[in-house]
Amino acid sequence: MATIADVARHAGVSASTVSYVLSGKRSVSAETRRRVERSVTELGYHPNAGARALAGRRSHIIALVVPLRTDVYVPIMMEIAVSVTMSARQHGYDVLLVTNDEGPDGVRRIVGSGLADGVILMDVELADERVPALRELGAQAALIGLPDDPRGLSCVDHDFASAGALCADHLAELGHREVAFIGYGSGVYHRHAGYAERTLTGFRERAEQRGLRFVHRSCEGTYESTAGALTRVLADRPGTTGFVVQNEGAIGPLLSLLRSSGRTVPEDASVIALCPEQLVEQYAPRLTAVTGPAKELGRVAVEQLMSRLATATREAPPQDELVLLDPVLTVRESTGPAPRLAAHP
């Protein structure tokens, strides 16, 4: 069945232009109208019955595109989803959960159906294939995450580059000179997940500025993969005394492996984690950590989408908006001064 997006592509116009031709809400040039009508006929497009019934009013539904991946930390994703739902209800909106396995086709399906007034995307990649679909359809959307090209979009995210820089600064100020970054599994970096790549970039740039020697090792988050990552780190850089972990599953195994190798934390090795606040008290010693408010991501995304919907009602072009939430470094018991022999002379 043809969708409004199919008609738009066939006619070489935007989805909003197709909508204007079909609804008659705005004047469209005669030639454009003919081109759209020809595409409608050739493709056999029939407007969605629900969309026709809702013409001129809103559905009061937001589509939240939630990732279903084995390499994401599900509790945080669910915390954000709950925040979106609660914030949406304050505006009189319900939330439709949509899985991410359909990619851009799923976005086209949801927007083309007219079921939702707007879309919130989670787990945004740097070159996210869903973003061109949003632009093509003229959809009202907010992104929880930051793509490489955010022009014309409303985005909210943690400032992951600053979070990485905070980790490098903290270890440098404690006198560490050989450090390791234990990151997510290789698949996260291969798909260019923004949160992983921006953190690593921020850490790398600040480490170089502070004169730190560092290695980055990917890790799947299991005990075995963490052991393999640590073994490779110590084989390449036996003098490593500082560890940054951006992988929730690897935190516990790393602390255990350091102890079993005879390295006491923080006397012999310092560990700083980028993780949710609720994890920092679960380990011994208590974690020095960089955290950010997950709930705030959901709240801001809803506010951004509500603003765009209000702007669309006034038939004014929506303004792009980028909100980066500041990370917070809290020093606890897992970091300390570099061992004397490892300290910079």
Side-chain angles (χ1 to χ4, degrees):
M1 181 186 300
T3 67
I4 195 170
D6 296 327
V7 174
R9 282 194 296 273
H10 189 272
V13 299
S14 68
S16 58
T17 298
V18 175
S19 178
Y20 298 147
V21 170
L22 296 176
S23 67
K25 287 184 177 179
R26 287 192 187 181
S27 61
V28 177
S29 72
E31 192 206 329
T32 299
R33 179 177 296 277
R34 284 194 298 271
R35 195 160 72 244
V36 170
E37 290 172 345
R38 186 164 54 247
S39 294
V40 167
T41 300
E42 291 179 8
L43 296 178
Y45 172 72
H46 297 284
N48 176 272
R52 288 199 303 268
L54 290 170
R57 62 186 180 92
R58 297 194 183 283
S59 67
H60 289 280
I61 293 175
I62 292 172
L64 175 63
V65 184
V66 181
L68 288 180
R69 303 182 190 274
T70 58
D71 57 13
V72 300
Y73 187 60
V74 174
I76 284 296
M77 292 297 176
M78 290 301 98
E79 186 175 355
I80 296 172
V82 169
S83 176
V84 167
T85 302
M86 295 178 64
S87 299
R89 287 304 309 145
Q90 293 177 359
H91 292 274
Y93 273 76
D94 291 314
V95 175
L96 172 68
L97 291 180
V98 182
T99 59
N100 195 39
D101 53 351
E102 294 182 79
D105 288 338
V107 171
R108 293 189 180 97
R109 178 175 60 82
I110 293 299
V111 175
S113 72
L115 181 61
D117 294 335
V119 179
I120 294 178
L121 297 187
M122 295 175 60
D123 193 29
V124 175
E125 300 171 1
L126 297 185
D128 202 301
E129 294 181 346
R130 298 170 297 176
V131 171
L134 289 175
R135 290 189 169 120
E136 167 194 338
L137 296 167
Q140 301 303 328
L143 279 59
I144 300 179
L146 182 61
D148 270 337
D149 181 9
R151 290 175 300 170
L153 303 172
S154 292
C155 308
V156 58
D157 205 358
H158 295 307
D159 190 344
F160 286 105
S162 292
L166 283 175
C167 295
D169 281 335
H170 181 60
L171 292 176
E173 288 160 6
L174 289 172
H176 296 274
R177 290 297 177 265
E178 297 273 358
V179 300
F181 190 105
I182 307 297
Y184 288 107
S186 58
V188 174
Y189 297 98
H190 288 159
R191 65 182 175 87
H192 302 294
Y195 58 87
E197 293 216 355
R198 293 185 192 281
T199 304
L200 183 57
T201 297
F203 175 80
R204 177 186 292 114
E205 291 177 353
R206 188 59 54 85
E208 291 172 350
Q209 292 171 9
R210 299 298 296 259
L212 302 181
R213 295 185 68 219
F214 72 93
V215 292
H216 166 232
R217 293 290 179 265
S218 296
C219 175
E220 300 301 325
T222 63
Y223 187 92
E224 292 76 12
S225 62
T226 307
L230 179 60
T231 298
R232 294 194 303 275
V233 167
L234 296 180
D236 295 339
R237 301 282 177 81
T240 299
T241 60
F243 294 85
V244 176
V245 189
Q246 189 185 26
N247 186 324
E248 292 83 1
I251 297 171
L254 178 63
L255 292 171
S256 177
L257 288 160
L258 287 171
R259 283 193 297 269
S260 64
S261 69
R263 292 172 172 81
T264 303
V265 177
E267 288 81 2
D268 302 316
S270 287
V271 176
I272 180 171
L274 296 116
C275 68
E277 186 70 33
Q278 56 264 40
L279 287 184
V280 300
E281 301 285 348
Q282 297 182 13
Y283 299 99
R286 295 163 63 243
L287 288 171
T288 293
V290 175
T291 59
K295 292 180 180 178
E296 189 70 0
L297 291 173
R299 186 194 67 78
V300 172
V302 171
E303 294 296 332
Q304 288 180 326
L305 183 54
M306 292 299 106
S307 176
R308 294 182 76 90
L309 289 172
T311 300
T313 300
R314 298 192 299 269
E315 297 188 354
Q319 300 298 312
D320 54 337
E321 181 183 12
L322 171 60
V323 176
L324 291 179
L325 304 179
D326 292 331
V328 176
L329 168 65
T330 303
V331 179
R332 296 185 180 86
E333 299 163 1
S334 66
T335 54
R340 185 178 300 276
L341 293 177
H344 190 69

